[in-house]
Amino acid sequence: MEVNRSMQTGKAKIVRMTEDNLDMDALREAGRILRSGGLVAFPTETVYGLGGNALDPEASRKIYAAKGRPSDNPLIVHIADLEHLFPLVREFPEKARRLAERYWPGPLTMIFQKTDLVPYETTGGLDTVAVRFPDNAIAREMIRQGGGYVAAPSANTSGRPSPTLASHVEEDLGSRIDMIIDGGQVNIGLESTIVDFSEGHPVILRPGFLNQEMLENVIGEVTVDPGIMSENIHVRPKAPGMRYKHYAPKADLAIVEGQPEAVFSKIRELTEKRLSEGFRVGIICTEESRDRYTEGDIRCIGSRADDRTIAHHLYEILRDFDADGVDYIYTESFETPRMGQAIMNRLIKAAGHEVIQA
Ligand code: AMP
Ligand code: MG
């Protein structure tokens, strides 16, 4: 899709605040922009979102244009009060109610049959709507000021890694939107877990900070869409957005899998080869493996002892490698228990399914 650069002239106004110290004047201004059909990027606990009025078809069209996002890839509607869910959805199943009680506000998106209130421009033409209640005080106050319903995909150019800092948003969208609220670095760093309730039985369409076990602890069996973890590009994920090449850095990224020692030596070997050919090479390692590498642009992503640190830095490192002009990136694989599924889901996409067995 062609990005319409003429839709917005000039630069987004950037305002800074923290969750403990909300700038109410700036949030009221953000609310006015949203209610008059404009776009505001804002922090959430997962990644930065690009918000527009979810009930205004024109605002949703602007979101797609600003991101260069295919218009059949639906947006998530963000709310800031549970009451605001009911006008959007045809039913609210008992299990969804229990998940909402436990995990909302939080990094959980649930999909339901939509009502006529939600325009097809917001749902990418689908009869279902994805809803999230974010756990970030800035986001919640902005949503309330904006009228209660904010459609927001991640605030990146389509195909680039999602933004975890306001500077990432500025880099991608600074000249195409009205305002950026800088709330510092996000907490989690990967997008929300998506659970589809639209066909009765709950199905995870996108893994996130909340994993299958954490959902099953509350509502019993939850299945995982087979499309999301597959290295086989022919298994189509159900969430439209998961089908696109996504989260991708400019460099050629490959995941190296296998026993740790074999992985370290394979990455060293691939790095030496590319360096000798005159390329710039980035390596993604962990605190545990940092001293196994000596050559290349070596970045420590976090610690395997706490995989939330790995999730937290993934997109930032991919963007840093872009800025550094790296040609090839080799990364270790992270099949960690807590967030491994979410991390590997993003990495496999970023790598365009390129996995090397060591
Ligand atoms: P993003 O906002 O960039 O995290 O993208 C939103 C994600 O939610 C995409 O992967 C969408 O495909 C998915 N999504 C949103 N609404 C629906 C829906 N009604 N059915 C299935 N997936 C959805
Ligand atoms: Mg996105």
Side-chain angles (χ1 to χ4, degrees), residues 195-215:
V195 183
D196 185 5
F197 277 97
S198 67
E199 288 171 16
H201 181 77
V203 183
I204 299 175
L205 302 190
R206 178 172 73 187
F209 177 82
L210 299 175
N211 61 27
Q212 184 175 12
E213 187 186 340
M214 293 162 82
L215 302 174

Side-chain angles (χ1 to χ4, degrees), residues 110-268:
M110 293 193 276
I111 295 177
F112 307 102
Q113 294 292 331
K114 79 172 193 72
T115 61
D116 293 341
L117 183 66
V118 188
Y120 283 112
E121 284 78 359
T122 298
T123 67
L126 297 175
D127 288 314
T128 53
V129 60
V131 187
R132 183 159 108 79
F133 183 168
D135 184 22
N136 176 295
I138 299 170
R140 286 204 303 267
E141 190 53 38
M142 185 206 74
I143 294 165
R144 289 191 190 110
Q145 295 289 341
Y149 298 100
V150 171
S154 49
N156 51 299
T157 301
S158 195
R160 292 212 70 203
S162 294
T164 58
L165 289 165
S167 60
H168 299 161
V169 180
E170 198 185 343
E171 194 178 287
D172 283 14
L173 304 174
S175 60
R176 298 187 209 156
I177 65 177
D178 302 290
M179 185 188 257
I180 298 171
I181 303 177
D182 182 348
Q185 183 157 35
V186 300
N187 238 319
I188 296 174
L190 293 184
E191 302 85 348
S192 58
T193 303
I194 302 181
V195 183
D196 185 5
F197 277 97
S198 67
E199 288 171 16
H201 181 77
V203 183
I204 299 175
L205 302 190
R206 178 172 73 187
F209 177 82
L210 299 175
N211 61 27
Q212 184 175 12
E213 187 186 340
M214 293 162 82
L215 302 174
E216 289 189 331
N217 285 343
V218 181
I219 58 169
E221 199 196 354
V222 178
T223 53
V224 180
D225 175 21
I228 60 178
M229 285 314 287
S230 179
E231 288 167 16
N232 177 351
I233 51 172
H234 302 296
V235 181
R236 274 170 77 81
K238 193 173 175 235
M242 304 295 283
R243 293 178 200 140
Y244 298 101
K245 183 169 190 237
H246 216 179
Y247 316 116
K250 292 172 191 154
D252 184 326
L253 168 68
I255 302 164
V256 182
E257 263 181 17
Q259 292 304 313
E261 288 304 329
V263 168
F264 306 149
S265 76
K266 187 76 189 173
I267 291 179
R268 285 194 302 262

